[in-house]
Amino acid sequence: MFRKVVRQSKFRHVFGQPVKNDQCYEDIRVSRVTWDSTFCAVNPKFLAVIVEASGGGAFLVLPLSKTGRIDKAYPTVCGHTGPVLDIDWCPHNDEVIASGSEDCTVMVWQIPENGLVSPLTEPVVVLEGHTKRVGIITWHPTARNVLLSAGCDNVVLIWNVGTAEELYRLDSLHPDLIYNVSWNRNGSLFCSACKDKSVRIIDPRRGALVAEREKAHEGARPMRAIFLADGKVFTTGFSRMSERQLALWDPENFGEPMALQELDSSNGALLPFYDPDTSMVYVCGKGDSSIRYFEITDEPPYIHFLNTFTSKEPQRGMGSMPKRGLEVSKCEIARFYKLHERKCEPIVMTVPRKSDLFQDDLYPDTAGPEAALEAEEWVSGRDANPILISLREAYVPSKQRDLKVNRRNVLSDSRPAAAPGSPRPGASTPAAFTSIAAPGSSLAGAGEAGKLEEVMQELRALRALVKEQGDRICRLEEQLGRVENGDA
């Protein structure tokens, strides 16, 4: 028996690559507000970036295809009277986005299907309930129109956007500033990281604290906590010596972390992005110029470092594309939108594969845009996991390996091939040839029909051969794909 020296993982060779300059979004004045938000939100249709605005707060909404230099006069969403602190796209409607602002309000906006043509100042709904600035906005993952907001008044509010009513007010669970909030997979619980160094798991419908871990990270700087698909909690924070840390916790046993890793001694807050389909966590530090990525497994040491993507420019913020917006044909497993001082640069994360077939192991069924519950059902106590969709329909075979059969030369011209010495098409026809093509010449017509039938038989035989070879190539490619993925 050989001892396993290297851990088996299909994500060991994931690599990040920035796109070319002409596919970046240039000349964007990214917001300078001092708040540890991502400043960026993206979905399969639009990119939204919080920008500098005089006399209020604004954010840009760009169709993904609108790359290159963005005109200074490009219309913005500008209904807030104070700087915008956080934005989040609705997971069940790609044209709806919510924003929280220093003006203590939450606004929900309907973006026109093809993007903005004039400044958008009228929100669909204004949600007023916070007494201090609203810094955190996050939609419920499975229930339609349910939105969570958290403010600097240490209050968490849950809204029904469809009726503009406040569903739940949680105002006694956080004694200090809330750093972030994250729903679990089915939206029955959420976890929060607070300035008092505690990570809490909360049932919003009962308004009850389910579990709490005090001093999850000893340091005083901001920390983050996110739910993983299996119910565990992943946190980023700082040690007492101001070293940045990652930790994995089991809510059933919050006493000790399952895993704790120290990264470095930089001072930017670490923003975690989690992919439940691949169990990978991407960690981006504010002010860093790198993205580290880790795989979470069920065996110790649980958090496995994979690699680091490094670039020259520090990041002001970061947005992550949902799985259904990725290019499946290129084995793209994540795409980030990195904010610089004056531009937004997409970064593509890819798993290198030789086969051009759809990679089932990289793309299990993922959360789709359909809501599993209505707001009223969720309030009544029902829970449901996200409705999953297959990404196989988004797969487009690569052009290099397509089998092309050129039928045009045989079928586009119904006339038989000309015999040697016969005139070229378009040349003047001598009288001697005219008589052959005359309608009265039945013998010539029979000969021509025989030749045409012969050509058609050859064509049918050729078609059958091409189909047989195509099927054989498909079978061989499937076998090759299984061998490469270690399935055979």
Side-chain angles (χ1 to χ4, degrees):
M1 291 288 290
F2 289 106
R3 190 165 62 87
K4 275 204 300 188
V5 180
V6 179
R7 188 181 68 89
Q8 287 289 317
S9 170
K10 54 191 157 218
F11 304 113
R12 259 192 23 236
H13 304 293
V14 170
F15 68 97
Q17 209 170 14
V19 301
K20 293 176 182 165
N21 271 341
D22 60 348
Q23 292 175 281
C24 294
Y25 305 84
E26 302 274 356
D27 220 13
I28 296 173
R29 300 186 303 283
V30 178
S31 173
R32 295 174 176 279
V33 68
T34 52
W35 184 255
D36 283 324
S37 160
T38 58
F39 289 155
C40 179
V42 63
N43 69 16
K45 287 182 77 170
F46 296 110
L47 164 71
V49 180
I50 302 175
V51 293
E52 282 287 290
S54 54
F59 57 95
L60 267 178
V61 175
L62 302 169
L64 286 187
S65 57
K66 186 167 177 56
T67 52
R69 186 179 167 279
I70 307 301
D71 193 339
K72 281 187 173 58
Y74 194 85
T76 57
V77 180
C78 51
H80 284 287
T81 56
V84 177
L85 299 180
D86 198 17
I87 49 177
D88 193 30
W89 286 105
C90 176
H92 309 125
N93 187 336
D94 287 344
E95 290 162 15
V96 171
I97 187 168
S99 58
S101 164
E102 283 193 9
D103 64 10
C104 308
T105 64
V106 177
M107 294 186 180
V108 181
W109 311 83
Q110 176 90 36
I111 306 299
E113 189 178 349
N114 299 315
L116 298 177
V117 290
S118 61
L120 186 57
T121 56
E122 288 299 318
V124 178
V125 63
V126 179
L127 305 172
E128 295 176 322
H130 288 282
T131 56
K132 291 188 179 175
R133 58 185 183 164
V134 183
I136 297 166
I137 296 288
T138 178
W139 291 89
H140 192 284
T142 59
R144 195 189 315 277
N145 292 339
V146 175
L147 178 68
L148 180 151
S149 65
C152 295
D153 49 7
N154 310 338
V155 174
V156 175
L157 293 178
I158 296 171
W159 308 88
N160 181 344
V161 174
T163 59
E165 65 179 313
E166 186 183 295
L167 296 175
Y168 303 103
R169 172 178 286 265
L170 310 174
D171 53 8
S172 58
L173 297 174
H174 297 92
D176 212 330
L177 182 68
I178 303 165
Y179 285 137
N180 91 302
V181 172
S182 168
W183 291 100
N184 68 351
R185 181 81 165 155
N186 65 4
S188 58
L189 305 170
F190 68 80
C191 67
S192 65
C194 183
K195 195 174 181 179
D196 66 353
K197 302 181 187 176
S198 290
V199 171
R200 295 175 174 82
I201 295 176
I202 294 165
D203 182 336
R205 288 172 294 197
R206 291 193 296 124
L209 194 63
V210 176
E212 180 178 8
R213 164 67 195 187
E214 295 177 0
K215 293 194 176 175
H217 295 276
E218 296 276 351
R221 293 177 188 273
M223 59 184 199
R224 289 281 190 283
I226 56 171
F227 257 119
L228 304 186
D230 59 0
K232 295 186 177 63
V233 174
F234 180 89
T235 61
T236 65
F238 291 81
S239 70
R240 192 176 292 157
M241 307 300 291
S242 287
E243 291 174 312
R244 297 198 289 192
Q245 295 178 322
L246 311 174
L248 186 66
W249 307 84
D250 183 355
E252 303 291 320
N253 178 18
F254 240 165
E256 288 297 318
M258 296 171 64
L260 181 68
Q261 287 188 18
E262 292 196 344
L263 291 185
D264 55 27
S265 54
S266 184
N267 57 8
L270 289 169
L271 307 174
F273 294 90
Y274 173 59
D275 179 359
D277 302 336
T278 59
S279 294
M280 284 177 67
V281 174
Y282 303 83
V283 177
C284 318
K286 275 249 174 149
D288 288 9
S289 53
S290 62
I291 302 173
R292 295 180 177 89
Y293 34 106
F294 302 82
E295 188 176 0
I296 312 290
T297 62
D298 295 331
E299 310 92 38
Y302 303 111
I303 303 174
H304 302 272
F305 173 72
L306 293 172
N307 211 333
T308 304
F309 165 80
T310 310
S311 57
K312 293 175 185 173
E313 295 282 326
Q315 55 231 15
R316 298 283 308 280
M318 192 74 74
S320 172
M321 173 67 80
K323 210 58 174 285
R324 57 195 173 88
L326 301 180
E327 287 200 51
V328 178
S329 335
K330 296 181 179 173
C331 293
E332 183 184 0
I333 61 164
R335 191 189 313 152
F336 293 98
Y337 287 75
K338 173 181 169 180
L339 298 184
H340 298 236
E341 194 89 6
R342 300 280 297 183
K343 78 169 182 178
C344 177
E345 174 186 46
I347 294 163
V348 175
M349 297 284 178
T350 311
V351 177
R353 289 278 169 97
K354 289 178 185 171
S355 172
D356 285 342
L357 296 171
F358 176 72
Q359 305 294 318
D360 295 88
D361 59 327
L362 296 185
Y363 301 106
D365 288 356
T366 191
E370 190 58 45
L373 297 170
E374 295 299 325
E376 294 75 20
E377 293 176 293
W378 181 74
V379 170
S380 70
R382 280 190 58 191
D383 290 319
N385 283 324
I387 296 175
L388 304 182
I389 58 168
S390 169
L391 294 177
R392 188 180 284 274
E393 284 71 39
Y395 171 70
V396 180
S398 66
K399 292 188 168 51
Q400 303 92 288
R401 300 290 292 270
D402 282 358
L403 180 63
K404 289 186 179 175
V405 181
N406 193 350
R407 303 188 179 88
R408 185 179 173 280
N409 292 348
V410 181
L411 290 183
S412 62
D413 188 358
S414 58
R415 291 171 294 180
S422 63
R424 296 187 312 276
S428 57
T429 312
F433 288 103
T434 312
S435 62
I436 296 174
S441 180
S442 59
L443 188 63
E448 304 240 339
K451 280 184 184 177
L452 184 60
E453 182 57 37
E454 196 178 317
V455 169
M456 293 300 288
Q457 279 180 354
E458 284 183 12
L459 177 62
R460 280 194 284 272
L462 184 63
R463 269 184 174 163
L465 181 63
V466 166
K467 186 176 184 306
E468 187 183 328
Q469 293 298 330
D471 293 345
R472 183 166 174 268
I473 287 169
C474 284
R475 285 198 301 276
L476 288 171
E477 283 190 331
E478 280 179 16
Q479 289 172 7
L480 180 63
R482 284 201 294 273
V483 168
E484 285 176 347
N485 298 338
D487 297 339

